[in-house]
Amino acid sequence: METIAKSCVIIKAPVHTKEEAIRFAGKRLVDAGYIASPYIDSLMKREAVSNTFLGSGVAIPHGMIEDRHHVFHTGLAVIQVPEGVVWQEGKLARLIVAIAAQSDEHIAILRRLTRLMQKEGAIEELVTCTDAERIIAALTDTPYMPPAATEPWPADAKMEIMLDYPNGLHARPASQWVETAKRHACEIRILKEGERADAKTLTGLLGLGISFGQKIVLAARGEGAETAVRDLAETVARLSAEEIADAERARVAAEQARANAPVWKPAAATRMQLGVAASPGLAIGKIVRHESSALVVEDKFTTTMEEGSALEAALSKVAAELTEMEAETRRRLGAGEAAIFAAQRELLADPSLMRAAIGDIMRGHGAAWSWKKVLDARVDQQRQLPDPLLAARALDLKDAGERVIATMLGIERKAIVLREPSVLIAEDLTPSDTLQLDMRYVVGLAISSGGPTSHTAILARTLGLPALVAAGPSLLQIEYGTEAVIDGTAGCLYLGCTTADIETARAAIRAQALRIEAMRADRYQRATTSDGHTVSVFANVTNAKQAADAIEAGAEGVGLMRTEFLFLERESAPSEDEQYAVYRDTIAALGGRPLIIRALDIGGDKQVSYLDLPHEENPFLGVRGARLLLSRPELLSTQLRALYRAAEHGPVSIMFPMVTELAEVAALRAECEQVRAALKAPVVPLGIMVEVPAVAVMADRFAQKVDFFSVGTNDLTQYVLAMDRQHPQLAAQADPLNPAVLALIGITAKAANAAGIHVGVCGGLAGDPLGARILIGLGVNDLSMSTQDVAIVKTIIRSETLSNMQQLAQRALAAGSAAEVRAL
Ligand code: PEP
Ligand code: MG
């Protein structure tokens, strides 16, 4: 083991007892991807059976041999506690070195530790030092380079904080720090152990390499310094809950995937390349090495003007491309994945990069050459960061920066050509490389560097590709064309398997595929329970393309077409004709199947600048949905005209969001009728979303006034539980399975059934396997969900009886908490 992750070395750890110290160290190992969390218990178990106190204030907790399968990768966590915690027989441990070892790779560290213990004052120095690098250097036998002292920076306001983001400060949160800092005119710096960076530049911030547990100072000078520091501290703290929740989600997802994945092990000995599990699944393919071709740039100079403009043009072109990739990725994969490209755009926007390149251009160098020079220097600087998580982000800068060079040189960046099922090995893949992979042939990814939270790992999980990371440089020695079995769940690549083993691997993959295929094969069958009750399963979409994909995936129509997306990210509202074309195309894509189009639901979490909406302290409780539509007659009538014109082409229902009072229904219906009559358009069903608790409570009266209900469990939950649906800290508690939410859905369904109108659910609960069953049991007639959930929910409904689901619903209503409901 040559390196120790900086995120695993904690100076002045906030622990007071032996157990706290062991669990704290274990958590660092889990977050860094070295072990699965059960190994923490194994560390505790060891304490009961043997003495892990080495002497001279050093303890070496390590797990039990029988639990080694929880170790993905050998690693260490070093916890410095200057005041010490009581270890064995009253002895104080001040340097706790927790070891997760797969074999005996940690022996060298032990040898160094014992050597240090024999050297007078050496351990004392490590126990009292303030720089994690000093400990890493001592334990890895490398020279220690103290951080270069910089000039003091006189500040008007400052605040010391400890960063508690489990993955350190990486590009996503850092870009939000930059955004906050840029809102203030004064100068803002982040100070870290004698180094400092401008809080308004992303590369500067990332260059500091701030890892978990690090103490930093937020400092500002000039007018408004106090406010700026406070504002920045608030951003840092707000993101903390999100970062911790993200890391926890990734960990739980990885552990669940590991538990569900097919178990396969070769019977005969094979060569094995170990890495860190990054995306679960098993696949067989030929090794293909991906190398990013080095860009050759000649230093060609024309005039300062021309070179300067060429660079500027390339930068804006790439920024626009990244915005497009962000939008495309958000559509294809989701907001989390799309954020990668927003962060890349922010990296390129760093004015210091541009300044340095312009400096070289002024000295008579070509634009591409000058840009490459600054880029290479910055990428190198980032790569040198001791924290592997942060160093891995150098790739983002390289990727975005090389795009600029390629644009200036007019080079098309090509994807690799593949012809057979392939396991791609690479030092790392850039986010754009990963997106360009030919998914027909790539069956797995093995990366020599990076970590389980790298962008490659995130994308692999979203794309459903087995992947492992951090496999070390020997991975890249594997010969091209070698047959390999990749197990992304265990983080293992098997080479030279026997024919018999390849056969068993194929069987394991087939069994898994069969389960998925069986579900897919039946996706067009109706969702009829085994006692003959049929429920409609619809999808939530935003445009015609998604509607077509939903039908292909087994949806029987669209239960919610959100129209906000037509209005977002543009300069002015879409015209009637533009809206009409989108609605008409979606109707066409559905070929006569039902389509519920929801009128504009702006406000709350969705804002558009051109509507000039006044600032609201509590936008979720403000003028949103139906309230906004009724206060902006031109917005409502334009949309209604487009909707009624489209209604000529197929079955459409119109639905209104965020309705609260009966009077709103009357006003909306009157407006609809006026538009319809003027256009001589067909009558269409008019319904409402049930997402304000008041409507659920008065559902019997609303049921007399509308043609259908659709319960929006996302908003209903936030309003019933008084928990912001976007609040990272409350995310786990804001559970729509809370019995209070279910009770209101029950009242709504009962009122609808009594009045003989349709009741559906289009919030997230409809696509949850347990939620769907409870909703049907409560009397809901149809469910509308994300396309990817359709086939599985249909399969679940078919395997159930209505009476079972009714009993389940009654037990859920009687439960005391969402957790009790989930336990059913
Ligand atoms: C809901 O609130 O459950 C819903 C479906 O609407 P949205 O998520 O668009 O607010
Ligand atoms: Mg809603």
Side-chain angles (χ1 to χ4, degrees):
M1 202 181 59
E2 295 112 38
T3 56
I4 300 175
K6 195 164 175 193
S7 63
C8 287
V9 181
I10 307 297
I11 298 291
K12 288 200 194 142
V15 296
H16 306 96
T17 64
K18 175 177 165 182
E19 175 159 0
E20 270 178 26
I22 293 177
R23 294 203 178 274
F24 186 83
K27 185 78 181 33
R28 305 282 72 73
L29 291 169
V30 171
D31 287 343
Y34 290 119
I35 58 169
S37 49
Y39 199 74
I40 301 180
D41 291 328
S42 183
L43 291 171
M44 289 305 299
K45 225 189 303 171
R46 162 75 63 191
E47 295 302 314
V49 295
S50 49
N51 182 1
T52 61
F53 192 82
L54 205 58
S56 309
V58 180
I60 47 159
H62 49 285
M64 308 290 284
I65 291 181
E66 67 262 28
D67 295 324
R68 271 193 184 165
H69 58 283
H70 292 308
V71 178
F72 307 135
H73 210 53
T74 297
L76 284 189
V78 187
I79 307 299
Q80 183 212 53
V81 192
E83 66 282 14
V85 293
V86 178
W87 210 262
Q88 242 121 3
E89 291 147 17
K91 291 196 182 93
L92 275 191
R94 301 169 70 205
L95 197 69
I96 296 133
V97 183
I99 303 171
Q102 254 175 347
S103 58
D104 54 3
E105 296 129 296
H106 61 295
I107 299 288
I109 295 275
L110 282 182
R111 202 177 305 129
R112 269 177 220 135
L113 264 176
T114 36
R115 244 191 285 137
L116 284 169
M117 284 162 61
Q118 285 152 14
K119 207 163 124 197
E120 197 174 334
I123 293 289
E124 186 59 27
E125 202 178 299
L126 300 188
V127 170
T128 50
C129 71
T130 53
D131 184 7
E133 286 303 330
R134 184 181 286 277
I135 298 184
I136 295 175
L139 294 185
T140 53
D141 238 354
T142 46
Y144 170 59
M145 308 254 244
T150 43
E151 303 278 296
W153 196 79
D156 295 330
K158 53 186 179 179
M159 185 186 295
E160 192 188 55
I161 57 162
M162 187 194 91
L163 192 79
D164 62 353
Y165 302 175
N167 295 327
L169 181 64
H170 57 95
R172 259 179 300 164
S175 50
Q176 299 205 35
W177 290 22
V178 171
E179 217 174 273
T180 304
K182 280 184 177 167
R183 283 204 294 267
H184 297 272
C186 59
E187 289 179 77
I188 312 180
R189 297 285 181 274
I190 308 294
L191 318 178
K192 188 203 111 183
E193 290 166 358
E195 289 177 77
R196 67 166 174 263
D198 186 342
K200 295 180 187 175
T201 71
L202 188 57
T203 40
L205 274 187
L206 293 177
L208 283 180
I210 309 172
S211 48
F212 171 88
Q214 185 116 47
K215 292 219 173 71
I216 53 169
V217 175
L218 316 179
R221 77 177 168 214
E223 205 173 320
E226 291 270 352
T227 325
V229 166
R230 214 174 326 117
D231 201 14
L232 187 56
E234 252 171 47
T235 299
V236 175
R238 177 173 53 79
L239 293 172
S240 149
E242 225 167 284
E243 286 293 307
I244 294 171
D246 264 2
E248 184 58 17
R249 257 196 302 277
R251 188 189 64 72
V252 171
E255 286 188 5
Q256 270 172 1
R258 215 165 274 131
N260 297 334
V263 187
W264 175 82
K265 281 260 177 284
T270 52
R271 210 182 119 201
M272 210 162 74
Q273 186 82 34
L274 281 178
V276 174
S279 172
L282 195 64
I284 305 171
K286 294 276 169 63
I287 294 288
V288 174
R289 166 93 192 262
H290 172 263
E291 264 159 306
S292 47
S293 47
L295 283 168
V296 183
V297 180
E298 280 175 58
D299 188 3
K300 281 201 209 130
F301 178 76
T302 50
T303 63
T304 313
M305 259 319 254
E306 266 181 59
E307 296 298 331
S309 329
L311 177 57
E312 219 175 309
L315 279 168
S316 21
K317 181 152 185 275
V318 171
E321 278 170 15
L322 289 170
T323 307
E324 201 165 296
M325 285 168 86
E326 187 194 353
E328 160 75 20
T329 313
R330 182 176 304 123
R331 273 192 299 273
R332 226 177 104 194
L333 303 172
E337 288 72 19
I340 298 167
F341 297 102
Q344 283 195 334
R345 203 180 42 223
E346 191 60 53
L347 284 169
L348 290 186
D350 181 348
S352 66
L353 283 175
M354 178 73 169
R355 259 199 312 272
I358 293 288
D360 277 319
I361 291 176
M362 307 268 273
R363 284 186 279 276
H365 295 286
W369 185 91
S370 306
W371 176 258
K372 186 167 188 307
K373 185 176 150 214
V374 255
L375 179 71
D376 288 350
R378 273 304 162 80
V379 169
D380 268 352
Q381 190 188 345
Q382 176 90 17
R383 267 207 187 117
Q384 303 298 326
L385 292 177
D387 190 319
L389 281 170
L390 297 173
R393 304 291 191 241
L395 198 68
D396 286 340
L397 178 59
K398 186 166 182 300
D399 188 25
E402 288 190 344
R403 226 165 230 286
V404 178
I405 300 176
T407 304
M408 281 189 276
L409 301 181
I411 301 173
E412 191 66 51
R413 299 216 300 170
K414 278 198 228 73
I416 337 164
V417 181
L418 301 171
R419 311 211 179 282
E420 57 186 336
S422 308
V423 173
L424 218 58
I425 58 171
E427 191 187 338
D428 203 346
L429 290 170
T430 64
S432 29
D433 284 336
T434 321
L435 280 184
Q436 276 170 14
L437 295 178
D438 184 345
M439 293 304 295
R440 287 170 306 169
Y441 296 120
V442 178
V443 298
L445 298 177
I447 305 294
S448 68
S449 64
T453 56
S454 69
H455 294 149
T456 311
I458 297 173
L459 284 170
R461 280 196 288 273
T462 316
L463 294 168
L465 275 184
L468 59 93
V469 294
S474 57
L475 175 79
L476 304 176
Q477 312 297 324
I478 302 174
E479 211 174 306
Y480 197 100
T482 311
E483 185 164 55
V485 179
I486 180 167
D487 183 348
T489 314
C492 211
L493 189 67
Y494 300 95
L495 304 158
C497 291
T498 61
T499 324
D501 276 332
I502 291 284
E503 266 323 301
T504 59
R506 278 194 213 291
I509 296 168
R510 263 198 310 270
Q512 162 102 343
L514 277 177
R515 281 198 297 276
I516 297 172
E517 197 34 53
M519 257 176 3
R520 263 185 67 77
D522 288 344
R523 68 193 187 280
Y524 298 126
Q525 308 293 327
R526 303 252 18 216
T528 304
T529 60
S530 49
D531 52 354
H533 175 75
T534 300
V535 178
S536 301
V537 178
F538 297 139
N540 297 346
V541 306
T542 60
N543 56 37
K545 161 86 175 60
Q546 288 187 2
D549 290 348
I551 299 308
E552 205 287 319
E556 295 158 353
V558 164
L560 168 64
M561 176 179 177
R562 292 184 169 97
T563 58
E564 300 75 80
F565 294 93
L566 263 166
F567 292 73
L568 297 176
E569 285 172 29
R570 47 187 297 155
E571 304 290 310
S572 58
S575 67
E576 179 187 320
D577 282 347
E578 199 179 325
Q579 291 191 52
Y580 161 73
V582 173
Y583 306 147
R584 181 202 55 205
D585 291 350
T586 311
I587 293 169
L590 289 175
R593 295 177 186 83
L595 166 64
I596 301 179
I597 303 184
R598 181 173 76 183
L600 182 62
D601 184 13
I602 287 286
D605 57 334
K606 303 163 200 136
Q607 294 285 346
V608 288
S609 54
Y610 55 84
L611 289 180
D612 287 326
L613 303 177
H615 170 77
E616 292 180 305
E617 282 302 322
N618 264 316
F620 275 122
L621 304 180
V623 184
R624 65 170 287 206
R627 301 171 193 172
L628 179 75
L629 292 171
L630 287 169
S631 70
R632 294 289 182 103
E634 78 296 347
L635 211 56
L636 176 61
S637 59
T638 308
Q639 186 168 35
L640 288 179
R641 270 197 307 276
L643 284 168
Y644 274 108
R645 280 171 59 196
E648 300 284 354
H649 303 283
V652 167
S653 304
I654 300 176
M655 174 159 75
F656 293 99
M658 279 296 293
V659 168
T660 316
E661 295 194 80
L662 287 161
E664 290 168 339
V665 174
L668 290 164
R669 286 202 86 112
E671 184 61 30
C672 286
E673 185 45 33
Q674 202 180 344
V675 170
R676 190 202 65 77
L679 290 170
K680 300 197 175 51
V683 173
V684 305
L686 299 177
I688 58 169
M689 297 277 296
V690 178
E691 39 192 359
V692 176
V695 176
V697 173
M698 287 174 52
D700 53 346
R701 277 145 284 176
F702 278 91
Q704 305 302 321
K705 304 288 178 200
V706 301
D707 303 318
F708 64 92
F709 287 149
S710 184
V711 183
T713 52
N714 309 336
D715 276 313
L716 185 63
T717 306
Q718 81 163 342
Y719 295 128
V720 172
L721 303 181
M723 287 178 188
D724 183 339
R725 63 191 268 183
Q726 298 174 320
H727 201 299
Q729 237 168 322
L730 300 174
Q733 257 172 295
D735 190 336
L737 283 178
N738 186 298
V741 180
L742 298 179
L744 288 182
I745 301 175
I747 294 173
T748 308
K750 213 163 161 187
N753 290 326
I757 65 165
H758 240 73
V759 53
V761 173
C762 62
L765 191 60
D768 176 305
L770 173 61
R773 285 149 67 206
I774 295 176
L775 291 172
I776 297 168
L778 289 172
V780 163
N781 314 123
D782 51 59
L783 300 172
S784 192
M785 61 200 70
S786 304
T787 295
Q788 80 251 27
D789 296 328
V790 168
I792 177 147
V793 168
K794 284 180 125 182
T795 307
I796 287 167
I797 298 172
R798 281 188 220 109
S799 66
E800 273 282 4
T801 63
L802 177 62
S803 60
N804 252 345
M805 293 192 274
Q806 285 167 336
Q807 280 171 26
L808 179 70
Q810 290 314 310
R811 277 159 53 214
L813 288 176
S817 65
E820 278 180 32
V821 176
R822 293 217 173 263
L824 295 174

